[in-house]
Amino acid sequence: MSSLKSIIQDVKGELGSISRRGFDVRFGLRSRSQRVVQDNSPLAVAVDALGQSYWANMPPELLREVLMRIDASGETWPIRKNVVACAGVCRSWRQMMKDIVRTPEISTKLTFPISLKQPGPRNSLLHCYLKRNRSNNTYYLYLNSNQVSNVDGKFLLAARKFRRPTCTEFIITLNSVDIAKEGSTYVGKLRSNFLGTKFTIYDAQPPKSGATVLKSRSIRLINIKHIYPKIPVGYYPVAHISYELNGLGSRAPRKMHCIMDTIPACSLEVGGVVPTQTELLVSCPDTSPSTSFVRSKSTRVDNFHSGPLTEPKDEMLVLKNKDPTWHQQRQCWCLNFHGRVTVASVKNFQLVAYPNHDNIILQFGKVDRDLYTMDYRYPISTFQAFAMCLTSFDTKIARE
């Protein structure tokens, strides 16, 4: 709280004196529009209705200057939680903070949950690490720029593997405890075919404005008029990953081929852009009653399709793994991970854009038992990178 007070005092000197009564009010939020901030946050305290009005009625010039300084002072987590706390004070603070905070592509920082669906930095790799829990088939992604052994890394996403009779599914959520499709924390899933050689990444909401989805013919909706209008029913395919059949087992490196359905190949050119989500669409329990489905046994998620890219001429971005080189002295296949990977594993890979780009888009590798690094950059998002790395954990005979 002292850091906020010092910033306010500096701004007051520049913009003139205002009543201190509004600054003495402690704040935090407890409802849907008032997000809860952890008690150990420097800015986290409870707010009453009277106090909230004082914060909301701050002069816009002063408010913007205060929030801009808070955003600039919190470069990394956990200090960056101050930015999230300020966005939870009231509606005016939240809207202004959303205008101030830039996307990861520009700022290279992950701040709000929607940042996980937005493209990564253009000129550098964003460093994360992944932990696997073998006992319950769960996977946790954390943000950490330096030491992967640091247990205080910022939690980003969680996934759980479910084995089905004909496929494997990974459910991906924002909740590290309750990993399920139900609820507002569900962000998407990864699904494989029977052989474990082909995977599809599904987003829980439209990946871009105007996206459409074609539902399976074997699904019939009941009470369609009561469906929450902001979220069309269905899954949105955003990427397809395939592995070549490997007859040499773990002695040969895997061959990955990724087609990014919603990212045009021209996005890597100068001035290229990627369709970017700007808001997480969360269904409201009060206005979105549960919808009943009648689903036949022949229902297949493979029948879902995403809408076309921005322009018909746009080609989808294709990523392929970088071929390793054979090290004669060590008698193994090698890739240069620049110190980010320390343990040899068949799961290690680097993805580059095909065919004429050398910049690494995503790299994934092992550093300890059940501990892996995941580094990614523009044009893919944290969610897409995490899902692509999860394909390495679905071991099947056809791939090994």
Side-chain angles (χ1 to χ4, degrees):
M1 196 67 182
S2 59
S3 61
L4 176 60
K5 286 184 177 181
S6 61
I7 292 175
I8 292 175
Q9 292 294 340
D10 293 341
V11 176
K12 283 176 63 181
E14 299 173 6
L15 300 181
S17 61
I18 64 172
S19 172
R20 280 191 54 82
R21 181 174 55 175
F23 297 102
D24 293 332
V25 179
R26 299 175 298 174
F27 61 90
L29 293 174
R30 294 185 294 263
S31 64
R32 179 177 177 270
S33 62
Q34 301 174 334
R35 297 177 182 173
V36 176
V37 180
Q38 296 297 330
D39 292 336
N40 57 1
S41 168
L43 300 177
V45 284
V47 66
D48 53 26
L50 180 61
Q52 182 181 344
S53 66
Y54 290 145
W55 287 106
N57 294 328
M58 286 179 60
E61 298 82 2
L62 175 61
L63 176 60
R64 174 170 289 275
E65 185 68 20
V66 169
L67 297 184
M68 288 181 64
R69 294 196 181 192
I70 293 175
D71 176 57
S73 64
E75 292 292 330
T76 59
W77 289 87
I79 301 176
R80 194 138 186 87
K81 68 173 65 174
N82 296 344
V83 178
V84 180
C86 288
V89 172
C90 60
R91 184 169 299 178
S92 61
W93 281 53
R94 181 165 58 253
Q95 184 57 49
M96 190 166 291
M97 187 58 85
K98 288 173 62 177
D99 295 337
I100 293 173
V101 175
R102 302 300 180 185
T103 62
E105 178 183 349
I106 301 173
S107 67
T108 71
K109 292 176 281 192
L110 299 177
T111 306
F112 302 117
I114 188 59
S115 302
L116 303 177
K117 294 289 192 74
Q118 297 172 339
R122 275 186 178 266
N123 300 320
S124 62
L125 289 170
L126 194 61
H127 294 169
C128 307
Y129 68 94
L130 185 152
K131 286 186 176 181
R132 173 173 59 172
N133 188 330
R134 294 174 182 263
S135 62
N136 56 4
N137 288 324
T138 54
Y139 306 83
Y140 304 94
L141 184 68
Y142 298 87
L143 176 66
N144 195 315
S145 58
N146 296 317
Q147 299 177 355
V148 297
S149 59
N150 186 358
V151 295
D152 295 327
K154 168 62 179 174
F155 168 77
L156 299 177
L157 291 168
R160 174 168 292 169
K161 181 165 67 174
F162 296 89
R163 293 195 180 276
R164 316 294 187 191
T166 60
C167 68
T168 300
E169 282 189 347
F170 291 82
I171 304 301
I172 305 174
T173 72
L174 297 169
N175 193 324
S176 61
V177 179
D178 185 16
I179 305 176
K181 291 183 181 180
E182 296 77 15
S184 59
T185 59
Y186 172 68
V187 295
K189 73 174 184 178
L190 172 72
R191 179 169 179 161
S192 74
N193 65 353
F194 176 74
L195 294 177
T197 56
K198 294 183 179 180
F199 298 80
T200 303
I201 302 174
Y202 294 95
D203 200 331
Q205 74 178 53
K208 58 184 175 60
S209 177
T212 58
V213 62
L214 299 179
K215 291 172 282 296
S216 171
R217 295 180 180 178
S218 57
I219 297 178
R220 178 165 57 88
L221 300 179
I222 300 177
N223 297 328
I224 189 70
K225 294 182 180 180
H226 298 289
I227 296 176
Y228 188 54
K230 281 191 175 182
I231 309 177
V233 176
Y235 297 106
Y236 296 85
V238 294
H240 290 80
I241 301 99
S242 61
Y243 287 84
E244 292 184 9
L245 295 177
N246 185 2
L248 298 178
S250 59
R251 292 175 296 174
R254 293 173 173 175
K255 291 284 188 178
M256 291 180 64
H257 185 272
C258 307
I259 300 177
M260 311 306 296
D261 294 26
T262 57
I263 302 178
C266 62
S267 63
L268 295 179
E269 301 175 359
V270 178
V273 295
V274 176
T276 303
Q277 299 181 20
T278 58
E279 183 180 2
L280 286 178
L281 303 180
V282 181
S283 59
C284 179
D286 297 333
T287 59
S288 177
S290 59
T291 305
S292 300
F293 291 87
V294 176
R295 187 187 298 264
S296 71
K297 294 182 179 180
S298 60
T299 299
R300 292 178 56 85
V301 187
D302 296 340
N303 293 330
F304 291 83
H305 301 281
S306 61
L309 292 173
T310 307
E311 298 291 340
K313 63 180 180 181
D314 289 342
E315 296 182 355
M316 298 178 185
L317 176 67
V318 177
L319 303 178
K320 287 191 174 183
N321 66 303
K322 193 174 183 179
D323 292 331
T325 57
W326 178 257
H327 197 287
Q328 189 63 33
Q329 294 180 346
R330 297 181 179 179
Q331 291 293 299
C332 64
W333 297 96
C334 295
L335 282 171
N336 185 6
F337 287 92
H338 302 282
R340 291 286 293 167
V341 176
T342 57
V343 179
S345 173
V346 71
K347 296 180 175 64
N348 301 347
F349 67 82
Q350 292 178 327
L351 293 182
V352 296
Y354 179 82
N356 299 319
H357 293 274
D358 295 326
N359 289 335
I360 296 173
I361 304 297
L362 170 64
Q363 69 177 18
F364 178 75
K366 189 173 184 179
V367 293
D368 202 347
R369 177 177 171 82
D370 298 328
L371 186 62
Y372 302 80
T373 57
M374 187 196 86
D375 305 333
Y376 77 98
R377 58 176 293 173
Y378 174 92
I380 64 175
S381 65
T382 309
F383 164 68
Q384 293 168 340
F386 183 46
M388 284 191 280
C389 292
L390 289 176
T391 63
S392 296
F393 296 99
D394 188 29
T395 305
K396 294 291 180 69
I397 297 178
R399 279 199 284 152
E400 297 301 331

